[in-house]
Amino acid sequence: MSYNLLKGKKGIIFGALDENSIAWKTAERVHEEGGTFVLTNAPVAMRMGQINELAEKTGSQIIPADATSEEDLQNLVEKSMEILGGKIDFVLHSIGMSINVRKGKHYTDQNYAWTQKGTDVSAMSFHKTMQTLYKADAMNEWGSIVALTYMAAQRVFPDYNDMADNKAYLESIARSFGYFFGRDKKVRVNTISQSPTPTTAGSGVKGFDGFIAYADKMSPLGNATAMDCANYIVSLFSDLTKRVTLQNLYNDGGFSNMGVSDAVMDAFVENQ
Ligand code: NAI
């Protein structure tokens, strides 16, 4: 259902790889709500992904950018303003990657070159994106910037590996940069902490099936889907959330405030 919540708003959406991506669903929902945007992803991901299909469907243009490259980001912001015909109202940072996770390197046996790369891609890229937007004065007043995170930033999930540290860093950047963006440009910055979701990045985490089933059984409303996340992002891009900023917002069916649920307790007792 469309409410025209984003009519006339212009933005940039990072991270749509395939139709499972949270960014993909978000692009579809933003389009339905009347928003226009530029799609971007790392050049290498474009060869693997199906982003052209999404661009066609949503009438969007694609600008490749490696989110760790300041030069690429500057080009992205400049070109986006040209294409969209002015300043930007919303940005979604939906980027995450850990080489240690991908290559099965244990948290206690990290390859630090990989750790550094993962931090650059998953967290520092958010700072770089915001610094580029800030310096170019590219955001309209009352604009909204959202990044995606996971609760391993607050609590221990052993197989989430160095991504837990990356997410803690990402959430801190949202608060720290959010202060300056709010004070100087009236732009809000938030992170959404999403349930485990079956996407390329999500499924890369060791033991993901158990992870997702456990979270679902623990949450009174069940896991939030990629579409639920897209809807939440739409609300944060809309004028209905104008003074929500510096927040880490849970979209997780209630998981983050649970101790134990009946369903998990039952499974635990059965297996004794
Ligand atoms: P996805 O694999 O569809 O999206 C990750 C995206 O990051 C891909 O499009 C990839 O090309 C992009 N990317 C990687 N390196 C890049 C670079 N150097 N420059 C630009 N883009 C780059 O997976 P998903 O799940 O949609 O991930 C989106 C965000 O949601 C990530 O931040 C992820 O950590 C977060 N998240 C995912 C959860 C899950 O269980 N899937 C749970 C909570 C948060």
Side-chain angles (χ1 to χ4, degrees):
M1 198 191 294
S2 169
Y3 308 89
N4 256 343
L5 283 172
L6 303 178
K7 193 160 180 254
K9 293 199 186 292
K10 306 182 277 266
I12 301 176
I13 297 181
F14 288 79
L17 181 67
D18 57 33
E19 62 181 7
N20 298 318
S21 300
I22 296 168
W24 185 288
K25 305 274 193 244
T26 306
E28 289 181 334
R29 283 295 292 119
V30 168
H31 177 62
E32 278 171 18
E33 293 295 338
T36 51
F37 47 84
V38 161
L39 292 167
T40 183
N41 209 326
V44 57
M46 298 206 164
R47 289 196 290 275
M48 291 156 39
Q50 302 129 33
I51 198 167
N52 285 322
E53 190 191 309
L54 180 65
E56 225 168 86
K57 216 169 157 182
T58 58
S60 312
Q61 292 199 40
I62 304 167
I63 303 176
D66 176 344
T68 64
S69 158
E70 289 176 70
E71 205 186 324
D72 282 11
L73 289 169
Q74 269 158 22
N75 177 60
L76 169 68
V77 167
E78 235 168 70
K79 293 248 168 73
S80 296
M81 287 201 286
E82 273 169 36
I83 291 168
L84 298 167
K87 289 197 193 185
I88 290 155
D89 301 292
F90 61 85
V91 176
L92 174 65
H93 177 286
S94 186
I95 299 171
M97 193 277 302
S98 157
I99 308 178
N100 288 305
V101 167
R102 218 193 262 169
K103 303 214 173 181
K105 264 284 194 199
H106 195 262
Y107 186 76
T108 57
D109 181 33
Q110 290 189 41
N111 173 325
Y112 291 116
W114 295 350
T115 308
Q116 237 163 9
K117 180 71 189 159
T119 303
D120 199 12
V121 170
S122 307
M124 211 184 300
S125 65
F126 191 39
H127 193 287
K128 288 178 181 172
T129 300
M130 286 199 281
Q131 186 164 295
T132 306
L133 291 161
Y134 181 91
K135 283 189 173 170
D137 196 19
M139 294 294 294
N140 274 322
E141 284 197 356
W142 304 109
S144 175
I145 300 174
V146 172
L148 296 178
T149 186
Y150 181 58
M151 213 187 55
Q154 286 79 34
R155 309 227 177 128
V156 177
F157 292 85
D159 290 330
Y160 208 64
N161 209 322
D162 57 332
M163 276 305 287
D165 305 329
N166 294 336
K167 290 305 191 191
Y169 183 16
L170 177 88
E171 290 176 19
S172 178
I173 289 170
R175 287 185 293 270
S176 302
F177 219 122
Y179 168 72
F180 295 106
F181 241 134
R183 186 193 69 181
D184 300 340
K185 320 263 189 199
K186 291 197 166 50
V187 168
R188 58 201 190 276
V189 182
N190 296 288
T191 48
I192 295 179
S193 188
Q194 166 70 7
S195 294
T197 311
T199 61
T200 305
S203 316
V205 178
K206 195 174 141 221
F208 185 74
D209 290 349
F211 211 48
I212 196 168
Y214 172 73
D216 196 48
K217 282 209 183 313
M218 275 290 276
S219 312
L221 297 180
N223 285 337
T225 64
M227 188 51 87
D228 292 327
C229 192
N231 284 325
Y232 198 12
I233 294 165
V234 164
S235 78
L236 287 174
F237 287 167
S238 81
D239 289 334
L240 299 177
T241 53
K242 268 174 110 168
R243 281 195 173 77
V244 179
T245 195
L246 314 185
Q247 302 299 317
N248 180 41
L249 303 161
Y250 290 98
N251 186 49
D252 67 353
F255 180 83
S256 48
N257 266 342
M258 290 299 294
V260 75
S261 67
D262 291 336
V264 166
M265 196 65 102
D266 289 348
F268 181 73
V269 171
E270 273 165 26
N271 290 329
Q272 288 305 295

